[in-house]
Amino acid sequence: MGIPVSSGIAIGPALVLSSGPYPIPQYHIAQDIVESEQARYLAAVQHAIAELAKIESDTQTLRDISIIFMGHRFIIEDTGMQEEILAKISQDLVNAEYALNDVMRKHRNKFQALHSKYHQERVSDLEDVENRILKHLLGQTDRGRENWDQPAVLVARDLSPSQTAILPQAKILAFLTDIGGKTSHTAIVARTRGIPAIVGLGSVTSQIINGDLVIVDGKRGIVIIAPDKPTLEKYERQKIQEQIRRQKLQELVHLPVETLDGHKITLRANIEDSSEVLLAMANGAEGIGLYRTEFIYLHNPDPDEEAHFEAYRTALQYLGGKKLIIRTLDLGADKDFGLDDFQGEKNPFLGCRSIRLCFEKINIFKKQLRAILRASLLGRVEIMFPMISSLEEVLRAKAILEETKQELTKANIGFDPRLRVGIMVEIPSAAITADLLAKEVAFFSIGTNDLIQYSLAVDRINPRVASFYKPAHPAIFRLIKQTIDAAYENNIKVSMCGEMSSEFVIPLMGLGLRDFSVTSSIISEVKELIRSVTMREARQISAHILTCSTHEQTIEYLAQVKKT
Amino acid sequence: MESQGQVVIQWELGLHIRPATLIAQLLQRYNARVSLIKNGVAYNAKSVLQMLTIEAHQSDIIEIQANGNDAEEALCALKKFFLEYDDTPYW
């Protein structure tokens, strides 16, 4: 078993890459050839730089990889390092290969001293640079160019960035390496290109020989060498199914989110950082339904207005006119980023968190509000207050927002006066009084994780009571229905941004929800569910679920419906 | 002219070769001498080799010090980079 870093199944012959460092010749040179030895070294450096520049331009479209080679080029061009090596040749009267190796070893040892779990990758960048110059000094050819007459599973101790770049990508079925982790270069390249990969297998290079038939299960991290016929057939079937599934999900990205009978549904993404917007869009998100702004506080308990503004501006820039719903600070003792001392709280989930904390720390709250207001001119922004339990809190939060608007107006700073304000419905009292709250806001967003936790009084992180955490509990469906109905009656929008949106999307549509926000990675899966039913069927399913008396009954019924 | 600032490493892999390379490239445009300071040790921000030896993980705070006629501009550009560069590979 190794570390699965890129999922997928591959079946094919193994190609074991020769590894290990180049043998390094070591000898003394006479004083009178120092200059020619230095010139020989500089020539090799020039070749290495030219070669790197070529790889950089060849990999232009794969920017992640291209940058790495630019980095290698910068390292070689580093004048400090060159001077060290040239000095070593002239002072110790040694050959260029040895001088290079000696200097680079000193730099590598600096890395080894680092405690970072990434130091291996950094060392391998340096080894890569050294090997490239050595190759030119020794007049060798590249490794990894051998024997590629057919697609193969590549087996190596580790793959350097250089190796992965010169490998014929179309012929690689999978990667298997002895060392490495989830963040190693091989892992990143494999995921980027959708090639199954398992790293950290220990001694896979000594267990597999060239031409062995191997099965790679990149999802589970399993390698099977020389499989028997039934195993092989099993995996071949699995591989085909997987391909079909992957293709289907990929095709879904560009298909509209609608039911079989053409009812349109909106699918947005939940994000924690503005950089995630790109991934969300690539997965087909219609905007951001929940921007959890806590990340901005992660490194600084009191970020300034500009830090907020920059984050929102970046997100809006990536969104290109699509909607961004920003949730104001939702911190509490469960995710305490040093904002406050929560030590004294015995019941953090019932304590001073989220909007309650903002009421206590008006200045911190206002900085965020000012930034959101300013950002409202740059795109489609909406603001959402979390942890609302009663009407007073809605009014109070809105009053603070009004005050902030007036301050901006006084200071002659622009904002969109029509900025829409909504609330999270995640506390049972809010769901039950949704009809009262609806009069004061433009939209509801149902947050199911907290709604379930507060309704059932279960902390799902606590393993002893986790089995009591039941999303399909009849109380939850009733609260959701009540919230949706209140929104419709008062003509305001309602959406859902909790985890329930994925598994239960069909009955939730049946209850009237048309707007969901989920993690980017499952957008296609949710879309597939939506596209598999008619609205009429969804309504029938939700009508039946409302008659179920237990979570188990509902789950069983849904499983049954799915099969037919 | 001397300018100083503070940034936070947001990237999952810390300050590794990709961001280090982009920082060195970005600073080529400026005359200022720019150092990244971690635990009191200064590293030349125009040298990829030096930056790689900074043990800077995600969430770590790094001090920046810039000296030169365009120090302020260099600092500004660098801060922007630390905030905006998205190191997640696209897959």
Side-chain angles (χ1 to χ4, degrees):
Chain A
M1 286 280 280
I3 304 164
V5 292
S6 178
S7 67
I9 289 169
I11 304 169
L15 177 67
V16 184
L17 272 195
S18 53
S19 61
Y22 288 104
I24 292 155
Q26 180 184 352
Y27 49 84
H28 277 285
I29 55 168
Q31 182 70 51
D32 58 344
I33 67 157
V34 163
E35 268 178 41
S36 71
E37 190 67 7
Q38 287 177 333
R40 186 169 77 89
Y41 172 71
L42 289 173
V45 163
Q46 286 314 315
H47 283 299
I49 291 173
E51 190 180 41
L52 281 167
K54 172 149 194 328
I55 303 175
E56 262 176 78
S57 75
D58 288 350
T59 52
Q60 246 345 295
T61 51
L62 297 161
R63 196 165 147 70
D64 299 336
I65 295 165
S66 172
I67 295 170
I68 292 173
F69 291 102
M70 197 201 302
H72 289 185
R73 182 163 60 81
F74 286 178
I75 292 173
I76 297 185
E77 288 169 351
D78 197 303
T79 46
M81 191 186 96
Q82 295 315 343
E83 279 161 17
E84 263 182 279
I85 294 167
L86 294 174
K88 178 100 192 156
I89 295 175
S90 63
Q91 282 160 17
D92 295 5
L93 296 177
V94 289
N95 61 318
E97 290 89 347
Y98 179 75
L100 168 71
N101 179 250
D102 194 66
V103 169
M104 294 304 275
R105 194 171 47 216
K106 268 189 218 130
H107 284 290
R108 276 206 307 272
N109 287 343
K110 267 190 229 163
F111 288 80
Q112 305 281 14
L114 298 181
H115 307 295
S116 162
K117 60 178 164 166
Y118 307 119
H119 84 260
Q120 182 55 48
E121 277 92 62
R122 296 174 189 204
V123 168
S124 79
D125 282 314
L126 273 200
E127 283 172 346
D128 210 26
V129 166
E130 179 184 343
N131 279 331
R132 184 174 305 282
I133 305 175
L134 269 177
K135 183 183 75 182
H136 289 287
L137 277 172
L138 297 166
Q140 300 268 345
T141 51
D142 280 323
R143 290 163 172 195
R145 294 216 178 206
E146 59 262 72
N147 309 324
W148 284 98
D149 43 3
Q150 58 171 334
V153 171
L154 194 68
V155 184
R157 182 169 152 67
D158 188 18
L159 287 166
S160 67
S162 309
Q163 281 175 316
T164 33
I166 59 158
L167 293 169
Q169 302 296 335
K171 289 188 175 172
I172 299 174
L173 298 174
F175 290 114
L176 299 176
T177 64
D178 286 345
I179 59 176
K182 277 198 186 301
T183 57
S184 66
H185 182 75
T186 311
I188 292 172
V189 170
R191 281 197 297 265
T192 311
R193 312 212 175 177
I195 298 170
I198 306 173
V199 301
L201 282 157
S203 57
V204 69
T205 42
S206 57
Q207 286 165 12
I208 297 178
I209 54 168
N210 264 337
D212 272 352
L213 183 65
V214 289
I215 297 174
V216 178
D217 182 343
K219 190 170 184 178
R220 289 188 289 165
I222 296 171
V223 184
I224 302 168
I225 306 166
D228 56 20
K229 206 162 171 246
T231 313
L232 187 62
E233 279 168 1
K234 186 183 109 190
Y235 272 97
E236 266 164 359
R237 275 196 304 276
Q238 225 172 303
K239 188 181 158 190
I240 292 167
Q241 278 165 4
E242 197 184 75
Q243 271 166 352
I244 295 169
R245 171 101 189 123
R246 198 184 284 197
Q247 208 173 349
K248 211 171 154 197
L249 287 180
Q250 190 51 42
E251 284 165 7
L252 276 166
V253 169
H254 305 289
L255 291 178
V257 193
E258 58 184 24
T259 58
L260 285 175
D261 50 348
H263 285 263
K264 298 259 183 266
I265 301 290
T266 305
L267 267 185
R268 297 197 176 90
N270 298 343
I271 59 164
E272 300 204 331
D273 182 48
S274 46
S275 63
E276 290 170 56
V277 174
L278 287 174
L279 189 65
M281 306 282 276
N283 279 298
E286 223 355 91
I288 302 302
L290 171 63
Y291 184 173
R292 304 183 168 107
T293 54
E294 291 72 56
F295 195 85
I296 303 168
Y297 297 82
L298 182 62
H299 308 301
N300 180 355
D302 184 11
D304 62 15
E305 188 184 321
E306 287 316 303
H308 280 287
F309 182 72
E310 271 304 304
Y312 309 146
R313 193 187 60 80
T314 308
L316 287 167
Q317 191 184 328
Y318 292 149
L319 274 165
K322 292 198 162 115
K323 195 189 276 187
L324 174 69
I325 302 181
I326 303 174
R327 180 180 70 184
T328 59
L329 177 63
D330 189 23
L331 284 181
D334 55 320
K335 32 184 176 176
D336 157 24
F337 294 161
L339 185 65
D340 209 342
D341 182 9
F342 294 98
Q343 296 294 319
E345 291 202 351
K346 274 193 180 162
N347 254 324
F349 283 102
L350 307 181
C352 184
R353 56 196 302 250
S354 196
I355 196 83
R356 300 170 184 177
L357 186 67
C358 291
F359 289 155
E360 242 184 39
K361 303 194 180 291
I362 298 272
N363 285 337
I364 291 183
F365 189 34
K366 274 193 173 175
K367 278 179 203 165
Q368 178 170 36
L369 296 179
R370 282 171 66 101
I372 295 173
L373 282 164
R374 281 170 56 203
S376 68
L377 286 180
L378 306 176
R380 279 182 71 196
V381 178
E382 296 187 355
I383 187 170
M384 175 158 80
F385 298 122
M387 194 72 190
I388 295 292
S389 68
S390 67
L391 183 62
E392 295 92 301
E393 289 145 32
V394 180
L395 298 175
R396 194 162 160 194
K398 280 176 66 181
I400 297 171
L401 182 66
E402 268 321 302
E403 223 176 88
T404 314
K405 282 183 183 176
Q406 283 168 16
E407 286 164 14
L408 285 179
T409 309
K410 241 182 235 164
N412 241 336
I413 298 170
F415 60 89
D416 177 2
R418 289 154 309 169
L419 173 75
R420 290 157 55 88
V421 177
I423 56 166
M424 295 278 296
V425 175
E426 53 187 341
I427 296 180
S429 59
I432 293 166
T433 57
D435 57 323
L436 305 175
L437 304 179
K439 309 263 188 306
E440 287 298 330
V441 294
F443 64 92
F444 287 152
S445 184
I446 306 173
T448 52
N449 300 356
D450 273 342
L451 186 62
I452 297 166
Q453 149 160 297
Y454 287 130
S455 302
L456 307 181
V458 178
D459 174 6
R460 65 173 170 165
I461 313 294
N462 179 347
R464 289 175 71 184
V465 295
S467 64
F468 291 95
Y469 187 90
K470 295 173 172 175
H473 190 296
I476 304 301
F477 276 103
R478 289 183 196 186
L479 287 171
I480 292 172
K481 182 173 188 306
Q482 210 169 336
T483 308
I484 298 169
D485 291 350
Y488 273 82
E489 275 160 31
N490 289 279
N491 226 350
I492 67 166
K493 293 217 169 200
V494 57
S495 60
M496 179 175 284
C497 61
E499 279 172 28
M500 256 184 101
S501 323
S502 49
E503 195 184 342
F504 299 100
V505 68
I506 293 171
L508 291 167
M509 281 193 305
L511 288 177
L513 277 176
R514 296 288 177 271
D515 208 322
F516 300 90
S517 191
V518 299
T519 312
S520 293
S521 57
I522 60 165
I523 288 175
S524 282
E525 283 167 46
V526 177
K527 194 190 278 191
E528 190 181 29
L529 280 172
I530 293 168
R531 293 177 55 89
S532 72
V533 291
T534 60
M535 195 50 83
R536 195 184 143 82
E537 284 164 340
R539 287 202 190 99
Q540 283 167 351
I541 290 169
S542 64
H544 183 92
I545 282 180
L546 288 173
T547 69
C548 290
S549 345
T550 64
H551 166 88
E552 286 72 18
Q553 268 181 24
T554 300
I555 297 294
E556 212 170 282
Y557 168 70
L558 280 177
Q560 201 186 319
V561 176
K562 213 174 170 183
K563 266 182 220 149
T564 52
Chain B
M1 267 225 335
E2 187 182 303
S3 297
Q4 288 181 333
Q6 238 186 20
V7 285
V8 172
I9 307 272
Q10 309 205 10
W11 316 303
E12 191 187 340
L13 305 189
L15 182 55
H16 67 117
I17 187 150
R18 262 200 312 270
T21 301
L22 293 170
I23 288 169
Q25 188 192 31
L26 173 81
L27 291 177
Q28 282 174 356
R29 266 176 265 155
Y30 301 92
N31 297 320
R33 210 172 63 242
V34 185
S35 305
L36 301 186
I37 302 164
K38 174 90 197 296
N39 297 334
V41 184
Y43 302 83
N44 181 356
K46 290 182 175 176
S47 162
V48 175
L49 189 61
Q50 285 203 25
M51 276 187 281
L52 285 185
T53 58
I54 309 178
E55 191 180 345
H57 304 247
Q58 188 173 33
S59 312
D60 281 357
I61 293 174
I62 301 256
E63 314 267 347
I64 305 175
Q65 197 168 53
N67 289 293
N69 57 346
D70 55 0
E72 189 60 40
E73 290 88 339
L75 181 72
C76 241
L78 200 51
K79 275 180 150 177
K80 193 164 138 63
F81 174 81
F82 271 90
L83 195 70
E84 289 183 358
Y85 171 59
D86 175 15
D87 191 47
T88 342
Y90 302 101
W91 62 73

